[in-house]
């Protein structure tokens, strides 16, 4: 939809062009409507309309509002519709497995999935996670992640997502969503948007321009929407002055109108700040529903911004009924859309997020009633095999002088050195939220974690393999006892030294690192340990478990360090997956999903850690779209010479040759059809509410004795209703123009029209074909990468636009085909509010094995 003001259509040219200019666009909040061209969607929508049309006002509000923190057995739970036998929605973390439960898997992190550069493996990971969430009775998996994208390499939650490259993240998030939702579970793409650091995450005001937003941070969310994601979680931060969860430009204009998002927007836990602002600006579900703590003098009257407050806002005409109906219709359409085929049934939650005991309170905060809360259902199936494969194939060999693969028959002795190689002596889950480095690190820390059902450490896996093949095994656990480490290393023919640097969420701090990393050095004396071991053993191998790049140039240049491997956060099969790569049982295919700079300063971005006013810090992104390799490789920005290992880099155990690169136009020349559609009027579902009539909407008589403490209910309190402070603290109804409640026909946006945006953006214009030959003596996997050079001095020098993992026998050749869509070769035009191909610049395609190893190129015949 186009944003309207009281003066009519706001000229599109007034959208933000300056970095800190705030666009006034986004009312009214778009509503979903029938789409007979999409039979699957239409069937789900019709079921949702039929269901919502039966609901009363308070039943509708129940489905939009969480019951409160610790208000039920799930991390998040909405109210129910008992009259129709519909249980509220169960929402659970997280992006790598079911959090806070037993007998579920701990999958590799998102960045590891991206490092495989394998759509098949990424999809399979999503399918397996979806099966486990469904098996536990979860309706919504709170993942996958595209925010943080990874603007700063120290970003605390980068590992939950995939890559700082928006194309790679877009492909990965889309495949993950398709996998999750194919198993009857709603995926939730998060954190939308610009939640790029943990410092000040709840208050920072990120000032960003329209072009940077579209070409970098919004890009993967467009792919998520095009994949049919059922929900999107808005983030804690502000965007251009307004909190994300009540930001009309971010939610209404960009997500729901331009990208055509037809699911529901939920708040991150505690990220909602108002009743009217959030409702009118596009929020559809409030989580966890309450204020995440005991009521205080500053709490809203209902102890919630929604619940009774939302019911009251509808009864007062401050939130139109069509807006509430659209919230619930979006929620229910997403539900019916995934409950198809073999997944029409809906398992009930069979666990409690708050205890792994068999019995406990149904409502933890109120500690009642005591009942069976855990059935201890084992949902792991055979997923350990996939997890092991992912762990191995996401391991990136950064350096190999020829020592790898190790030989099981000729290796005589092996030393495994470092705390990060070994088991946590207190167990893999002994540190809450995985917030420690006591033993090997296989995931980050915070809400994106899960409990390990078990964790195979590298030392355990390598000891078992050594015993099996009569290899003498030495080990030491201390990172600080360097003499012992050197003594151990000097006794072995090969020494493998392990080091880590982790990160996570800001509610936990490790050694002064509050979520975000303070620097890019290794933790726990890791750099000194590596130097000490390499000083005495000429066959030293370094293995890194880190949440992103670290400064490792000293190891790359050290003559005694024969190999460096990045294993990331590989999940429960960590040691087995690593051993499979070290000894050549798995073809290495891991490629780095980020750039390894020689120092922190070389990345060209800064983490905001200090602000003049910590209550309202402000952050600008002066680098624009030049993040990670886009910065390092673009003239006038970063320096290619300050890269240790480039984006997409990784070596295997064989060599590949490229030849016969062909570019063929398959789409029509010229522009594409701009969307000129118009909406239907906002539909109202079921009985129309009488404005000002409280009858039937207050708490039922005699219910007081049944009330659960702090539980969020949808009923209106007559005293509050008649007071001046009727809804939330701020803003009030006078802060919103009449257009915010306009349910009339609206014009659609030129770049909109379908899920993911205008369908023409995804038209294939070019096919690129290249022959890849295995020129070595071993079977191996090559990750073929396609890059586009816009040759525009204002644009990045290179943009990833395709990849494929190819398994080839020695001397075998395969033709790899890539498709380039209109979106792939376009730039965002803020004034036109559309994508366009800049024909004045001669665009070039490159193919190769990394962003810094490009083999062939051809000019696009625009």
């Amino acid at each position: 939809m186009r944003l309207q003001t009281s003066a009519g259509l706001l000229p599109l040219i007034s959208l933000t062009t300056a970095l800190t200019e705030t666009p006034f666009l986004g009312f009214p909040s778009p509503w979903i409507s029938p789409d007979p061209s999409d039979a699957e969607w239409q069937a789900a929508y019709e079921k949702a309309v039929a269901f919502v049309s039966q609901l009363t006002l308070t039943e509708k509000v129940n489905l939009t509002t969480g019951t409160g923190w610790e208000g039920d057995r799930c991390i998040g739970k909405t109210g129910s519709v008992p009259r129709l036998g519909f249980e509220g929605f169960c929402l659970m973390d997280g992006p790598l497995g079911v959090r806070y439960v037993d007998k579920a898997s701990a999958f590799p992190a998102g960045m590891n999935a991206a490092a495989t550069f394998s759509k098949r493996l990424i999809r399979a990971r999503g399918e397996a996670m979806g099966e486990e969430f469904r098996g536990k009775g979860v309706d919504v998996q709170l993942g996958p992640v595209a925010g943080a994208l990874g603007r700063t390499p120290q970003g605390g939650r980068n590992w939950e997502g995939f890559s700082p490259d928006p194309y790679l993240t877009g492909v990965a998030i889309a495949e993950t969503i398709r996998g999750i939702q194919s198993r009857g579970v709603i995926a939730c793409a998060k954190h939308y948007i610009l939640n790029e650091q943990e410092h000040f995450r709840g208050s920072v005001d990120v000032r960003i321009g329209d072009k940077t937003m579209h070409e970098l941070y919004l890009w993967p969310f467009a792919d998520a929407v095009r994949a049919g994601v059922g929900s999107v979680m808005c983030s804690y931060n502000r965007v251009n002055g307004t909190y994300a969860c009540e930001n009309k430009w971010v939610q209404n204009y960009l997500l729901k109108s331009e990208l055509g998002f037809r699911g529901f927007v939920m708040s991150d836990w505690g990220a909602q700040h108002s009743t009217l602002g959030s409702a009118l600006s596009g929020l559809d579900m409030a989580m966890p529903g309450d204020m995440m703590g005991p009521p205080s003098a500053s709490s809203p009257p209902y102890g919630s911004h929604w619940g009774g407050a939302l019911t009251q806002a509808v009864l007062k005409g401050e939130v139109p009924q069509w807006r509430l109906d659209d919230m619930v219709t979006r929620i229910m359409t997403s539900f019916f859309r995934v409950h198809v085929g073999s997944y029409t049934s809906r398992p009930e939650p069979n666990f409690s997020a708050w205890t792994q005991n068999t019995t406990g309170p149904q409502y933890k905060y109120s500690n009642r009633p005591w009942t069976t809360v855990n059935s201890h259902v084992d949902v792991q199936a055979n997923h350990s095999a996939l997890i092991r494969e992912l762990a191995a194939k996401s391991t990136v060999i950064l350096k190999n002088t020829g020592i790898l693969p190790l030989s099981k028959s000729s290796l005589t002795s092996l030393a495994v050195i470092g705390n990060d190689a070994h088991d946590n002596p207190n167990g893999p889950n002994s540190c809450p939220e995985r917030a420690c480095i006591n033993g090997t690190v296989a995931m980050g820390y915070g809400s994106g974690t899960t409990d390990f059902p078990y964790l195979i450490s590298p030392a355990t896996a390598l000891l078992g393999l050594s015993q099996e093949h009569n290899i003498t095994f030495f080990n030491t656990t201390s990172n600080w006892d360097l003499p012992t480490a050197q003594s151990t290393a000097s006794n072995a023919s090969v020494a493998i030294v392990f080091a880590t640097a982790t990160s996570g969420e800001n509610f936990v701090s490790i050694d002064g690192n509050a979520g975000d990393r303070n620097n890019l050095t290794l933790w726990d004396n890791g750099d000194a340990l590596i130097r000490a071991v390499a000083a005495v053993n000429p066959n030293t191998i370094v293995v890194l478990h880190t949440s992103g790049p670290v400064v490792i140039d000293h190891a790359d240049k050290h003559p005694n360090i024969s190999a460096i491997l990045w294993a990331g956060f590989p999940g429960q099969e960590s040691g087995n997956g690593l051993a499979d790569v070290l000894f050549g049982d798995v073809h290495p295919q891991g490629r780095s999903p980020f750039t390894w700079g020689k120092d922190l300063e070389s990345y060209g971005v800064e983490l905001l850690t200090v602000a003049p006013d910590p209550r309202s810090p402000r952050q600008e992104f002066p680098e624009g779209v030049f993040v990670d390799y886009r910065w390092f490789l673009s003239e006038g920005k970063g320096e290619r010479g300050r890269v240790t290992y480039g984006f997409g880099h990784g070596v295997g155990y064989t060599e590949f040759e490229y030849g016969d690169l062909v570019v063929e136009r398959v789409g029509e020349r010229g522009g594409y059809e701009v969307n000129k559609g118009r909406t239907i009027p906002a539909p109202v579902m079921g009985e129309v509410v009488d404005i000002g009539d409280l009858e039937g909407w207050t708490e039922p008589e005699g219910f007081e004795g049944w009330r659960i403490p702090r539980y969020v209910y949808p009923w209106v309190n007559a005293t509050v209703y008649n007071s001046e402070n009727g809804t939330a603290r701020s803003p009030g109804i006078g802060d919103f123009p009449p257009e915010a409640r306009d349910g009339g026909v609206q014009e659609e946006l030129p770049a909109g029209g379908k899920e993911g945006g205008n369908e023409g953006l995804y038209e294939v214009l070019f096919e690129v074909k290249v022959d890849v030959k295995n020129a070595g003596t071993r079977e191996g996997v090559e990750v073929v990468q396609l890059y586009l050079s816009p040759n525009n001095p204002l644009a990045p020098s290179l943009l990833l636009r395709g990849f494929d993992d190819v398994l080839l026998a020695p001397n075998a050749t395969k033709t790899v085909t890539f498709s380039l869509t209109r979106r792939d070769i376009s730039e965002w035009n803020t004034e036109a509010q559309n994508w366009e191909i800049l024909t004045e610049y001669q665009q070039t395609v490159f193919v190769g094995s990394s962003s810094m190893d490009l083999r062939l190129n051809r000019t696009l015949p625009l």
Side-chain angles (χ1 to χ4, degrees):
M1 299 179 186
R2 295 182 192 271
L3 181 280
Q4 293 190 0
T5 69
S6 56
L9 286 175
L10 185 74
L12 290 172
I13 196 171
S14 69
L15 244 183
T16 180
T17 53
L19 183 66
T20 58
E21 183 182 349
T22 303
F24 183 75
L25 288 169
F27 288 137
S29 184
W31 46 88
I32 56 173
S33 56
D35 182 6
S37 68
D38 186 339
E40 177 193 7
W41 158 262
Q42 183 68 13
Y45 175 76
E46 290 175 359
K47 290 178 182 178
V49 169
F51 181 85
V52 176
S53 296
Q54 302 176 64
L55 302 181
T56 66
L57 171 61
T58 49
E59 288 171 340
K60 293 173 182 177
V61 170
N62 249 4
L63 291 177
T64 68
T65 308
T67 58
W69 180 246
E70 298 182 343
D72 214 308
R73 288 159 59 185
C74 305
I75 290 286
K77 185 76 182 291
T78 70
S80 303
V81 186
R83 182 176 61 87
L84 299 181
F86 192 88
E87 184 66 25
F89 287 91
C90 173
L91 296 77
M92 286 293 293
D93 294 313
L96 56 68
V98 191
R99 185 186 182 200
Y100 288 161
V101 301
D102 60 1
K103 300 187 176 182
S105 301
F107 289 85
M111 64 175 179
N112 281 70
T116 68
F117 278 72
S118 168
K119 299 178 183 119
R120 176 188 68 83
L121 287 173
I122 295 169
R123 172 77 72 94
R125 175 177 174 269
E127 291 169 347
M129 288 195 298
E131 290 171 5
E132 297 205 7
F133 276 82
R134 176 179 167 80
K136 288 292 186 180
V138 176
D139 293 300
V140 184
Q141 176 179 349
L142 302 177
V145 172
L149 180 69
R151 172 184 177 261
T152 60
Q154 316 110 286
R157 302 183 76 176
N158 292 356
W159 59 273
E160 294 185 29
F162 299 101
S163 167
D165 179 76
Y167 183 91
L168 177 54
T169 290
V171 171
I173 197 171
E175 291 298 332
T176 306
I177 288 163
R178 293 186 181 105
I180 292 168
Q181 296 194 162
S182 72
R183 298 304 189 259
V185 173
I186 299 169
C188 176
K190 64 180 190 179
H191 306 84
Y192 181 78
I193 193 167
L194 306 179
N195 191 166
E196 291 297 313
Q197 62 174 61
E198 286 300 286
H199 282 79
F200 304 118
R201 71 175 186 182
S203 57
V204 66
D205 181 10
V206 179
R207 299 283 171 151
I208 192 168
D210 193 40
K211 185 176 177 66
T212 299
M213 176 70 95
H214 279 83
E215 295 185 4
L216 191 62
Y217 298 101
L218 190 64
W219 181 289
F221 284 101
D223 289 317
V225 173
R226 187 164 175 81
V229 68
S231 64
V232 168
M233 180 189 291
C234 54
S235 53
Y236 287 114
N237 53 286
R238 292 180 173 97
V239 178
N240 292 346
T242 305
Y243 281 110
C245 291
E246 51 196 59
N247 192 304
K248 57 187 178 294
W249 180 54
V250 165
Q251 295 186 142
N252 287 344
Y253 187 85
L254 293 179
L255 182 62
K256 290 186 172 181
S257 190
E258 183 183 312
L259 297 188
F261 175 56
R262 301 194 286 197
F264 61 95
V265 179
M266 75 170 75
S267 69
D268 204 338
W269 270 232
Q272 183 190 29
H273 295 271
S274 70
T275 299
L276 305 184
S278 57
L280 297 175
S281 299
L283 189 68
D284 302 302
M285 181 183 286
M287 279 291 140
D290 66 354
M291 311 310 293
M292 295 189 68
S296 66
S298 62
S299 297
Y302 289 93
S304 171
H305 291 304
W306 279 9
L310 181 56
T311 303
Q312 176 171 296
V314 174
L315 289 172
K316 285 192 171 187
E318 296 169 336
V319 172
Q321 183 180 337
W322 64 257
R323 174 78 269 266
L324 173 62
D325 289 347
D326 182 61
M327 296 176 190
V328 189
T329 306
R330 286 173 175 272
I331 293 167
M332 293 308 303
T333 302
S334 295
F335 171 80
F336 287 118
R337 197 176 188 184
V338 302
H339 285 275
V340 294
S342 302
Y343 300 97
T344 54
S345 64
R346 185 190 184 200
E348 294 182 1
N350 50 48
F351 64 93
S352 170
W354 316 113
T355 179
Q356 291 188 8
N357 295 332
T358 301
T359 59
Q362 173 75 22
Y363 310 108
K364 182 179 185 297
Y365 179 80
S366 63
N367 202 36
R368 70 183 195 194
W370 209 263
T371 184
T372 297
V373 293
N374 268 317
S375 300
H376 306 288
V377 176
D378 191 335
V379 296
Q380 297 171 88
N382 63 344
H383 297 155
S384 61
L386 172 64
I387 293 169
R388 181 170 180 167
E389 182 181 9
L390 281 160
K393 293 183 177 179
S394 63
T395 298
V396 181
I397 302 179
L398 297 169
K399 173 184 178 180
N400 182 20
T401 62
I403 192 173
L404 298 179
L406 299 173
S407 171
K408 296 173 185 175
S409 59
S410 61
L411 181 64
T412 58
S413 58
L414 179 66
V416 173
I417 299 169
N419 171 52
D420 181 59
H422 294 83
D423 293 318
N424 183 328
N426 300 314
N429 301 315
S430 58
C431 298
E433 315 293 350
R434 313 295 83 79
C436 70
I437 51 171
N438 189 11
T440 192
V441 175
M443 64 176 68
Y445 60 88
S447 65
T449 61
T450 187
D451 284 359
F452 290 104
Y454 61 85
L455 174 56
I456 304 296
S457 69
T460 297
L462 293 171
L463 172 61
L465 194 147
S466 297
Q467 291 173 334
E468 181 180 353
H469 295 280
N470 296 316
I471 301 168
T472 302
F473 182 85
F474 305 99
N475 70 307
T476 182
T477 61
S478 175
N479 283 22
W480 297 87
D481 185 353
L482 300 184
T484 298
Q486 289 186 315
S487 173
T488 304
S490 62
N491 288 328
S493 54
V494 171
I496 308 179
V497 57
F498 290 76
T500 188
T502 187
S503 66
E505 208 163 352
N506 71 351
F507 65 81
V508 180
S509 180
I510 302 178
D511 196 24
N513 295 266
D516 304 313
R517 287 186 284 160
N518 294 337
N519 49 51
L520 296 186
T521 60
L522 289 164
W523 291 19
D524 196 28
N525 207 39
D527 290 300
L529 181 68
I530 290 170
R531 289 187 173 97
V533 171
V536 299
N537 192 309
N539 296 312
T540 296
I541 298 171
V542 174
V543 176
L544 305 170
H545 289 119
T546 68
S547 57
V550 293
V551 176
I552 200 68
D553 202 50
H554 66 88
D556 176 63
K557 293 177 178 177
H558 200 295
N560 283 355
I561 295 180
S562 303
I564 304 173
L565 295 86
W566 177 77
F569 292 159
Q572 68 193 42
E573 288 284 334
S574 173
N576 286 334
L578 177 65
D580 289 342
V581 172
L582 288 172
F583 285 89
D585 295 324
V586 169
H587 306 297
Q589 75 172 71
R591 301 294 184 265
S592 181
F594 41 73
T595 300
W596 299 70
K598 292 186 183 294
D599 50 50
L600 175 59
E601 293 70 29
S602 63
Y603 285 86
V605 293
E606 291 185 2
L607 193 73
L608 180 66
T609 58
V610 179
D613 182 359
R615 295 168 299 179
S616 56
R618 176 168 162 159
Q619 185 177 32
E620 298 181 0
F621 289 2
E623 73 284 348
V625 298
F626 295 90
V627 169
D628 198 74
Y629 72 90
R630 296 174 173 213
W631 172 266
F632 283 98
L633 303 183
S634 293
E635 186 175 350
K637 302 294 182 181
E639 298 178 28
R640 179 183 292 264
R642 299 186 75 179
V643 175
T644 304
Y645 303 114
F647 172 87
H649 170 75
V651 298
Y653 296 150
T654 187
E655 299 293 330
F656 295 90
E657 296 176 350
Y658 287 69
D660 201 16
L661 175 62
V662 177
V663 177
E664 179 183 358
R665 174 179 280 279
V666 296
E668 297 295 327
R669 295 181 183 273
Y672 71 110
E673 186 175 349
V674 172
N675 180 40
K676 298 179 181 179
R678 293 168 66 87
T679 72
I680 63 171
V684 175
M685 309 293 178
E687 185 178 349
V688 177
V689 173
D690 292 328
I691 302 298
D693 185 0
L694 271 62
E695 185 176 353
W697 310 126
T698 57
E699 182 178 291
E701 187 176 349
F703 185 79
E704 184 175 352
W706 296 91
R707 178 177 282 273
I708 300 167
R710 225 177 76 187
Y711 196 92
V712 179
Y713 294 98
W715 297 303
V716 169
N717 181 297
T719 302
V720 174
Y721 183 92
N722 293 315
S723 71
E724 292 184 2
N725 190 25
T727 52
R729 289 168 287 175
S730 176
I733 190 62
D735 295 315
F736 300 95
E739 288 76 24
R741 298 179 296 284
D742 180 7
V745 173
Q746 306 289 323
E747 293 184 36
E748 295 178 344
L749 292 177
K754 286 288 186 180
E755 287 181 303
N758 192 309
E759 193 67 23
L761 294 172
Y762 300 93
E763 176 191 0
V764 175
L765 299 186
F766 297 96
E767 280 192 351
V768 180
K769 298 180 180 180
V770 63
D771 289 342
V772 181
K773 177 183 178 181
N774 184 343
T777 59
R778 296 174 61 101
E779 186 178 58
V781 175
E782 173 68 327
V783 175
V784 187
Q785 299 168 44
L786 174 73
Y787 292 87
L788 176 77
S789 176
N791 290 320
N792 176 352
L794 300 179
S797 297
L798 284 180
L799 301 168
L800 180 69
R801 287 296 182 258
F803 58 86
D804 195 8
D805 56 317
V806 183
L807 174 64
L808 291 173
N811 295 315
T813 299
K814 180 177 180 178
T815 300
V816 179
T817 302
F818 298 101
S819 297
L820 283 173
T821 67
R822 187 181 304 277
R823 177 181 178 229
D824 290 332
I825 63 173
S826 296
E827 297 183 27
W828 180 254
N829 185 318
T830 291
E831 183 174 344
Q833 281 298 279
N834 217 334
W835 295 89
E836 65 177 6
I837 300 172
L838 301 183
T839 55
E840 61 265 39
Y841 300 109
Q842 196 70 58
Q843 300 193 47
T844 306
V845 292
F846 294 83
V847 292
S849 58
S850 83
S851 62
M852 298 184 70
D853 184 11
L854 302 174
R855 310 289 182 87
L856 302 171
N857 67 84
R858 292 288 185 275
T859 298
L860 283 183
L862 295 176

